[in-house]
């Protein structure tokens, strides 16, 4: 899938060069919807936090929008943050703008450092392939690798539909029950979060406890 990842990286590099640090650059419709996704992720994270310290790998971080959101959401908790993305341009932007914060930004697919929680918001939405079965396999392979470096859990969101499909605009939809079954059977206890405001999306929390 390296060739596919190269296509994805090129897509996001071009969009970032054109649109800058905006939700549209990451194929989000609006900042409001983006922040709603961040809230759902943060709510799940809040339920799992047991102390004041934690570490996060934000996989597919784009231009790093989740990082300042987490700082505002958890002002009294100390956390370390690693953002990783296969697109170089937004990562370079993050290195510049967040150079004096407790964060690390890297170009890549899977981080090489362990963390408490791995987070993925929209990471697998854009699928430049024809086969939904192939894309689901790619998701599952990545989740297995990410699970190995996530000491406490994984939180991620995807677009969902009754039948898995990839649209003509290369937006992927997964069957949420298939994904949940895979996670429960191969990773850990899996909870599902769905918002009335985002009925075609689902957020999964896979916990080691």
């Amino acid at each position: 899938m390296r060739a596919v990842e190269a296509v994805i990286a090129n897509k996001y590099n071009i969009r970032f060069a054109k649109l800058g640090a905006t939700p549209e650059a990451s194929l989000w419709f609006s900042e409001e919807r983006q922040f709603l996704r961040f809230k759902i992720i943060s709510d799940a994270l809040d339920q799992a936090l047991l102390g004041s310290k934690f570490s996060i790998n934000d996989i597919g971080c784009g231009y790093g929008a989740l990082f300042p959101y987490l700082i505002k959401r958890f002002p009294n908790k100390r956390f370390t943050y690693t953002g990783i993305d296969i697109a170089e341009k937004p990562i370079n932007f993050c290195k510049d703008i967040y150079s004096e914060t407790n964060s690390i930004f890297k170009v890549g697919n899977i981080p090489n450092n362990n963390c408490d929680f791995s987070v993925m918001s929209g990471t697998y939405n854009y699928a430049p392939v024809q086969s939904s079965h192939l894309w689901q396999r790619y998701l599952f392979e990545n989740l297995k690798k990410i699970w190995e470096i996530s000491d406490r859990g994984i939180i991620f969101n995807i677009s969902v539909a009754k039948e898995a499909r990839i649209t003509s605009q290369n937006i992927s939809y997964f069957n949420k029950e298939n994904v949940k079954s895979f996670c429960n059977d191969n990773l850990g206890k899996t909870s599902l979060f769905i918002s009335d405001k985002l009925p075609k999306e689902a957020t999964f929390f896979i916990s080691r406890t």
Side-chain angles (χ1 to χ4, degrees):
M1 297 291 285
R2 290 185 179 180
V4 173
E5 289 179 355
V7 172
I8 297 171
N10 186 58
K11 172 81 169 182
Y12 285 114
N13 278 328
I14 291 173
R15 291 185 67 86
F16 185 82
K18 179 181 179 180
L19 300 170
T22 64
E24 292 80 8
S26 296
L27 294 176
W28 295 120
F29 290 115
S30 68
E31 186 177 66
E32 180 182 3
R33 290 168 65 88
Q34 183 188 49
F35 280 3
L36 179 55
R37 296 178 184 95
F38 290 171
K39 181 182 184 305
I40 296 170
I41 289 172
S42 298
D43 286 347
L45 182 62
D46 199 20
Q47 293 179 22
L49 293 177
L50 301 177
S52 61
K53 297 180 181 180
F54 62 96
S55 57
I56 284 182
N57 283 338
D58 183 5
I59 301 170
C61 67
Y63 60 92
L66 179 60
F67 180 51
Y69 183 92
L70 291 175
I71 292 174
K72 292 180 179 179
R73 175 65 188 266
F74 301 107
N76 298 319
K77 293 183 182 295
R78 289 175 290 168
F79 66 91
T80 57
Y81 172 98
T82 298
I84 187 166
D85 201 285
I86 59 177
E88 183 177 3
K89 288 186 182 297
I91 287 295
N92 288 339
F93 166 82
C94 292
K95 288 180 178 179
D96 288 338
I97 196 170
Y98 298 122
S99 61
E100 298 183 3
T101 65
N102 192 21
S103 63
I104 298 172
F105 288 91
K106 303 177 182 178
V107 175
N109 179 13
I110 306 295
N112 55 16
N113 60 293
N114 274 52
C115 64
D116 290 319
F117 300 98
S118 291
V119 175
M120 294 153 279
S121 183
T123 303
Y124 302 101
N125 282 358
Y126 178 66
V129 298
Q130 298 283 321
S131 169
S132 59
H133 176 74
L134 176 64
W135 195 244
Q136 178 177 272
R137 188 173 69 185
Y138 177 70
L139 169 67
F140 290 171
E141 289 174 352
N142 277 271
L143 287 176
K144 285 182 178 179
K145 295 175 184 177
I146 293 165
W147 183 246
E148 292 177 0
I149 61 168
S150 306
D151 295 337
R152 295 172 64 182
I154 295 176
I155 306 172
F156 69 98
N157 56 45
I158 53 175
S159 297
V160 295
K162 186 175 181 180
E163 294 185 6
R165 60 189 175 91
I166 297 174
T167 71
S168 58
Q169 292 78 34
N170 297 111
I171 302 301
S172 63
Y173 287 82
F174 297 89
N175 178 283
K176 64 178 181 293
E177 297 303 328
N178 287 346
V179 176
K180 185 177 181 180
S181 293
F182 169 83
C183 294
N184 272 320
D185 294 343
N186 295 277
L187 305 178
K189 181 182 178 182
T190 303
S191 302
L192 193 61
F193 300 84
I194 297 177
S195 169
D196 292 340
K197 296 180 180 179
L198 297 170
K200 295 182 179 180
E201 299 180 20
T203 299
F204 295 76
F205 176 38
I206 313 169
S207 174
R208 290 190 181 274
T209 59

